[in-house]
Amino acid sequence: MDEATVALVAHGVPTPRVDAELLLAWATDTSRGAVQARALTGGAIAGEHVERFRHAVARRTTREPLQHITGEAHFRALTLSVGPGVFVPRPETEGVVQFGIDALRATAVPEPVAVDLGSGSGAIAIAMDTEVPNAVVYAVERSPEALPWTRRNVVAHGGTVRLVEGDLADALPELDGTVSVVVSNPPYVPDDMVPVDPEVRDHDPALALYGGADGLDAVRALTETAWRLLVPGGLLVIEHAEQQGAGVRDVLARRGFRSPETHVDLTGRDRTTTATR
């Protein structure tokens, strides 16, 4: 593990020790906690596990995402399958979906309807579905590369999310005026702001990253869709970059949404804007 940490440091991996522990846990089919305990108590590791670990570390030194190597990403209480072609869910989105979950739990409707626009791995939709069992949740995704991952994760977590292949700009006309909550983590990186991190720049799909000249093209589109879908009093929840709060609030206010408000994530950065239909 020390050897791996040194190699990862040399290649600029942001969290080398954590990644070394997680890769060794994956290589030995155990947990990070078990790896940390073994690091203190010592003991042999099977040769095939050592080889698997070294191969994984070599891949990570190329800045291939850790989640692509292990094939999974953790999101709230979920373990999701991820890989090339699908956006890897981020920890900050765990706080974004909480707004949707809270709104679903607060509604008086026996079976409130929720929609995740641009679902990717399915993280937001599956979290709402598993944490609010009485909700009826739809996941909308258009990317042919991402859809197999969405479908795989939906099936793995019970298969009750209703997966729809379609564009967030014109999705689900049959649900117009019936939806209690719409949540979206849309592409919001401005086209000329190419991410510095190789894990993002070289491995996250462009369709899930870039949102036009100001990064808000998808926000404008999903705002129109949400206006159509939501019941009066329904909630729209949008994830965005920290400098985009004012722009997102303006888009929502111009469309007629009430009380647009931007909320910070656990690092104190603007991350989520909510508004009421």
Side-chain angles (χ1 to χ4, degrees):
M1 199 155 60
D2 290 339
E3 179 185 334
T5 302
V6 169
L8 295 175
V9 167
H11 288 84
V13 173
T15 54
R17 186 66 175 190
V18 172
D19 285 24
E21 291 172 349
L22 290 170
L23 288 172
L24 188 53
W26 170 79
T28 55
D29 297 312
T30 57
S31 67
R32 184 184 173 196
V35 164
Q36 291 171 328
R38 287 287 300 279
L40 295 174
T41 61
I45 296 176
E48 63 268 25
H49 289 163
V50 173
E51 190 60 32
R52 189 184 191 202
F53 176 55
R54 287 181 172 159
H55 180 64
V57 171
R59 290 173 64 184
R60 188 69 184 102
T61 62
T62 70
R63 305 298 293 272
E64 181 178 358
L66 176 113
Q67 296 88 348
H68 284 196
I69 299 168
T70 64
E72 62 184 30
H74 300 287
F75 185 84
R76 294 177 71 91
L78 306 171
T79 299
L80 302 168
S81 296
V82 295
V86 71
F87 185 79
V88 175
R90 308 298 203 258
E92 51 266 31
T93 307
E94 296 185 13
V96 176
V97 73
Q98 188 66 54
F99 290 97
I101 288 169
D102 290 344
L104 288 171
R105 288 173 174 167
T107 184
V109 180
E111 294 186 334
V113 179
V115 174
D116 172 16
L117 292 174
S119 194
S121 67
I124 289 173
I126 298 168
M128 291 192 292
D129 184 66
T130 55
E131 296 187 43
V132 191
N134 63 308
V136 178
V137 181
Y138 290 80
V140 177
E141 178 54 57
R142 72 170 180 172
S143 165
E145 291 76 31
L147 272 165
W149 297 104
T150 326
R151 187 171 293 109
R152 178 176 176 179
N153 287 319
V154 166
V155 170
H157 291 280
T160 53
V161 170
R162 303 181 185 193
L163 177 58
V164 176
E165 182 176 357
D167 195 297
L168 58 77
D170 57 13
L172 301 171
E174 67 275 17
L175 296 184
D176 285 359
T178 67
V179 177
S180 294
V181 175
V182 172
V183 184
S184 183
N185 178 14
Y188 53 72
V189 178
D191 290 347
D192 62 355
M193 292 183 63
V194 178
V196 174
D197 292 342
E199 291 88 344
V200 179
R201 182 187 66 233
D202 301 334
H203 295 279
D204 276 329
L207 192 64
L209 288 178
Y210 298 105
D214 64 354
L216 298 182
D217 283 359
V219 170
R220 295 184 186 94
L222 74 88
T223 295
E224 295 297 323
T225 300
W227 182 263
R228 171 170 55 78
L229 292 174
L230 286 167
V231 299
L235 184 72
L236 172 59
V237 183
I238 303 174
E239 178 173 334
H240 51 76
E242 62 178 309
Q243 68 273 24
Q244 292 175 326
V248 174
R249 292 194 304 273
D250 182 64
V251 170
L252 297 177
R254 286 175 181 274
R255 187 59 188 91
F257 277 89
R258 295 184 287 114
S259 305
E261 182 179 0
T262 299
H263 314 268
V264 299
D265 60 21
L266 292 176
T267 68
R269 296 178 173 89
D270 284 352
R271 181 62 56 194
T272 312
T273 293
T274 59
T276 304
R277 168 72 159 91

